[in-house]
Amino acid sequence: MSTDSSGTDGNPDSFGLEVEFLKALVRVPSDNPPGDCAPHAEVAAGLLEELGFTVERHAVPEPFVKTYGMRSVINLVVRQSFGSGKGPTIALNAHGDVVPPGEGWTFDPYGAEEKGGAIYGRGAAVSKSDFATYTFALLALKEKPEGLDGTVELHFTYDEEAGGFLGPKWLLEHELSKPDYAISAGFSYAVVVAHNGALHLEILVRGKQAHAALPETGHDALEAATGILNAIYEERARLYGITSATPGIGSPKITVGLISGGINTNVVPDRIVMRVDRRLTPEEDGLQVEAELTALIEKAVAGKPGIEIECRRIILAEPLRTLAGTEKLVETIQKHAASVLGEVPPATAVPLYTDARHYTAAGIPTVLYGAGPRSILEANAHAADEHVRISDLGKATRIIEATLRDLLKA
């Protein structure tokens, strides 16, 4: 196997096409929010069809889409069988929705500009790069199918930034796919076998408005919210003292990310809303953490007259846990990565959450592996000037191709 920076089988023409494929995807906005992602899905489907793939378009009904705060979702599935088709089915999952660009860019977020051996743009690293990685790895298999038996499926979905409930979870729950293994968008210098989860809670604090000249005639929702904030930050300090047994995860985390409320400067606030992010370690149970956090919040306002609170779950994303059978994926990827990268990527865990957890929740051994970033900080993922190194794109494509060939050996 070639170890140059070109694409599969060292074919520079094929790799040039792969780079242009990625650039075309980056140039189409798919920000979530607002989550109007159907137009990007149609562009991606057209590009896949130009490469000779049959593309299934699975549109999620609008009522369900709106439930998760989005406008449109179309999941794309490509199925390619080899040999008798009786071998394993391997799903390759990447998401096309991206966080909004934000400020601070020195490149056009949708320009897909190439500079210094990298492609810049929102989604270039997370995870439109793996639309390209997985597509062109599969294309290489399709062009040289000898000795293969089984099926490879591309699962290109569009709600990872909203929790993946309309993407992988939707496909699996509706029995549109039943893979034996899954590889999800990840890191070209690490095989991720576990990650943390997240609980997002909305806390609504209700009081009674009053004139600021007579605050004692009202019930100050912000004063009550201050007690909740103090309790949460005390909990943060306690959590820092806990270390997960899973290397790479660290401690559980809690953050108050949003606060809004009040009527005017001269009015006692009658309503405060807060959003809380609680990161879960693989050892924790999400429902138990939710119950404990809710109890902590209720205790913080207990006995305050005229104050009511309501805790509403926004997202509960369970951690990615390592299942039996995952070792086969890890060993195969590491073997081929060693020859392409010149190093063995570690099997590790990361302190974030992804769509991959939906596959393990369905009992499917799953790892994260793809074009990048080598690290989230290095690639500016979710930050200004996000980018993916073109060499990493080529290397990851060859590694995924070789891994699939091993797993599909007749």
Side-chain angles (χ1 to χ4, degrees):
M1 179 177 290
S2 171
T3 58
D4 64 15
S5 60
S6 61
T8 53
D9 295 327
N11 184 340
D13 293 334
S14 173
F15 188 55
L17 187 61
E18 181 175 358
V19 169
E20 292 307 311
F21 179 91
L22 173 55
K23 289 180 177 179
L25 294 174
V26 172
R27 289 177 181 135
V28 181
S30 52
D31 299 355
N32 188 12
D36 188 9
C37 295
H40 191 280
E42 288 295 349
V43 170
L47 293 170
L48 289 164
E49 288 168 342
E50 288 176 10
L51 293 172
F53 292 112
T54 299
V55 182
E56 300 173 15
R57 295 165 171 83
H58 297 282
V60 179
E62 185 178 4
F64 294 96
V65 173
K66 288 185 174 180
T67 297
Y68 290 95
M70 295 182 64
R71 296 180 182 175
S72 64
V73 172
I74 299 176
N75 296 311
L76 306 180
V77 177
V78 170
R79 306 177 203 268
Q80 188 69 46
S81 292
F82 300 93
S84 69
K86 295 179 180 179
T89 295
I90 305 163
L92 306 176
N93 167 242
H95 67 94
D97 63 318
V98 299
V99 297
E103 299 180 352
W105 286 76
T106 60
F107 294 85
D108 178 353
Y110 308 111
E113 297 174 60
E114 185 177 329
K115 184 177 180 180
I119 298 170
Y120 287 79
R122 177 55 86 225
V126 182
S127 71
K128 293 177 180 180
S129 58
D130 284 331
F131 273 44
T133 301
Y134 299 155
T135 294
F136 280 80
L138 179 55
L139 187 64
L141 265 61
K142 186 179 176 184
E143 291 172 348
K144 295 183 179 180
E146 297 79 15
L148 304 179
D149 189 38
T151 302
V152 176
E153 296 181 352
L154 304 180
H155 293 181
F156 292 159
T157 56
Y158 282 89
D159 75 323
E160 200 269 353
E161 303 298 346
F165 301 101
L166 305 173
K169 187 174 177 66
W170 179 270
L171 294 174
L172 296 169
E173 283 189 342
H174 287 76
E175 298 185 345
L176 295 168
S177 177
K178 294 181 179 180
D180 299 292
Y181 298 98
I183 300 174
S184 196
F187 307 83
S188 60
Y189 292 79
V191 185
V192 175
V193 297
H195 63 56
N196 64 7
L199 168 66
H200 290 180
L201 276 187
E202 182 177 84
I203 307 167
L204 171 58
V205 185
R206 293 189 184 94
K208 178 185 176 184
Q209 72 182 72
H211 198 292
L214 298 168
E216 66 276 7
T217 64
H219 301 294
D220 195 326
L222 183 54
E223 181 183 13
T226 301
I228 295 172
L229 289 171
N230 287 335
I232 287 174
Y233 289 123
E234 287 176 6
E235 176 69 357
R236 172 189 274 184
R238 185 188 73 83
L239 294 175
Y240 280 145
I242 301 170
T243 301
S244 170
T246 305
I249 292 293
S251 65
K253 305 289 196 304
I254 190 166
T255 298
V256 180
L258 289 171
I259 301 178
S260 62
I263 299 170
N264 202 355
T265 309
N266 61 349
V267 181
V268 171
D270 64 341
R271 187 176 187 272
I272 299 294
V273 179
M274 298 182 285
R275 289 275 182 105
V276 177
D277 179 305
R278 169 66 158 84
R279 295 298 162 121
L280 315 171
T281 67
E283 295 85 5
E284 292 183 302
D285 175 84
L287 292 176
Q288 181 179 346
V289 168
E290 181 178 14
E292 291 172 353
L293 181 55
T294 300
L296 179 77
I297 293 163
E298 291 173 346
K299 183 179 178 181
V301 297
K304 291 187 178 295
I307 297 296
E308 297 178 354
I309 65 165
E310 178 183 340
C311 295
R312 182 172 69 93
R313 182 199 301 172
I314 305 300
I315 289 176
L316 176 55
E318 291 287 352
L320 175 70
R321 299 182 175 94
T322 306
L323 302 182
T326 303
E327 68 280 356
K328 185 171 184 178
L329 291 173
V330 172
E331 292 166 1
T332 308
I333 291 171
Q334 286 180 326
K335 177 177 71 173
H336 295 292
S339 65
V340 174
L341 301 176
E343 60 183 275
V344 178
T348 188
V350 292
L352 44 76
Y353 70 94
T354 75
D355 281 350
R357 72 188 192 280
H358 293 298
Y359 292 93
T360 57
I364 301 160
T366 305
V367 299
L368 278 67
Y369 192 83
R374 181 164 184 158
S375 75
I376 291 174
L377 293 178
E378 179 181 298
N380 290 344
H382 284 202
D385 290 345
E386 178 181 349
H387 60 276
V388 65
R389 298 194 63 80
I390 294 173
S391 59
D392 284 344
L393 180 68
K395 291 171 183 176
T397 303
R398 295 199 302 279
I399 293 164
I400 291 294
E401 177 199 349
T403 296
L404 293 173
R405 289 190 182 279
D406 252 10
L407 295 173
L408 298 176
K409 279 183 180 177

